[in-house]
């Protein structure tokens, strides 16, 4: 994915064209083009005003809003309908914004995301410390867990947060909520969906 994203970004920024690979092997370029055709069906390529690219539903058009929604795996394309209401156009891939970047900021330079696939075919991220080589399930940008909370890895490799004091369980980090994100300087907006 990272190679494909770099190739696509180079093309969108005018640094690559179909005749120049600039360091990418023909196998990487071919794989990228095949994967693009498969995953791009029914979608449109976009570049946002902040120069990030992504894939949106074909119905997306200028003026639509790309929204990273707390608790969602994918970005959403929203269309203003007036009176502070929006309708959902569809889900989108928004490069460099969907792995927590929009809400938590960029990963520290010493880390990279590596995608794993479990035996059921479900993909999930792990975080590799480039300096030590240590692999972690916990996102290094997460705040410290509140007292009495701990992180548990389930049999299917998904993560669960458990409060030993109350027995509460959640898949969402208990320290990441609207208030804590606003304290970090994240601009949050409430959308009225119709």
């Amino acid at each position: 994915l990272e190679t494909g994203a770099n190739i696509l970004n180079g093309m969108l920024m005018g640094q690559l064209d179909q005749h120049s690979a600039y360091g990418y092997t023909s196998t990487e370029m071919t794989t990228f083009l095949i994967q693009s055709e498969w995953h791009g069906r029914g979608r449109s390529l976009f570049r946002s005003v902040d120069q990030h690219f992504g894939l949106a539903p074909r119905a997306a058009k200028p003026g639509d809003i790309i929204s990273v929604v707390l608790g969602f795996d994918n970005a959403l394309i929203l269309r203003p309908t007036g009176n502070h209401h929006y309708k959902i156009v569809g889900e989108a891939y928004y490069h460099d914004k969907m792995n927590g970047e929009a809400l938590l900021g960029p990963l520290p330079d010493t880390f990279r995301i590596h995608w794993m696939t479990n035996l059921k075919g479900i993909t999930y991220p792990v975080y590799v410390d480039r300096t030590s080589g240590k692999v972690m399930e916990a996102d290094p940008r997460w705040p410290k867990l509140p007292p009495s909370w701990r992180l548990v890895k389930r049999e299917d490799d998904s993560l669960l947060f458990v409060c030993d004091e109350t027995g509460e369980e959640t898949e969402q980090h208990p320290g990441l909520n609207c208030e804590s994100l606003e304290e970090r300087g994240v601009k949050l907006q409430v959308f009225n969906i119709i």
Side-chain angles (χ1 to χ4, degrees), residues 21 27 44 68 113 115 132 138 143 165 189:
T27 302
S44 296
V68 175
I113 294 178
W115 290 92
S132 68
E165 197 172 284
Q189 183 176 347

Side-chain angles (χ1 to χ4, degrees), residues 78-96:
L78 303 176
R79 180 163 300 143
T81 60
N83 259 355
H84 305 287
H85 288 87
Y86 300 82
K87 76 175 189 176
I88 297 173
V89 176
E91 66 177 347
Y93 168 75
Y94 191 21
H95 185 66
D96 277 348

Side-chain angles (χ1 to χ4, degrees), residues 112 164 181:
R112 70 177 175 84
D164 292 326
L181 290 170

Side-chain angles (χ1 to χ4, degrees), residues 129-165:
D129 184 329
R130 295 173 197 228
T131 334
S132 68
K134 182 180 175 186
V135 177
M136 310 178 346
E137 283 85 20
D139 188 323
R141 299 166 294 180
W142 284 346
K144 229 178 156 174
L145 282 170
S148 77
W149 283 89
R150 62 188 166 89
L151 182 60
V152 176
K153 186 174 181 179
R154 297 188 221 173
E155 284 184 30
D156 68 356
D157 295 319
S158 64
L159 299 179
L160 184 69
F161 296 92
V162 178
C163 180
D164 292 326
E165 197 172 284

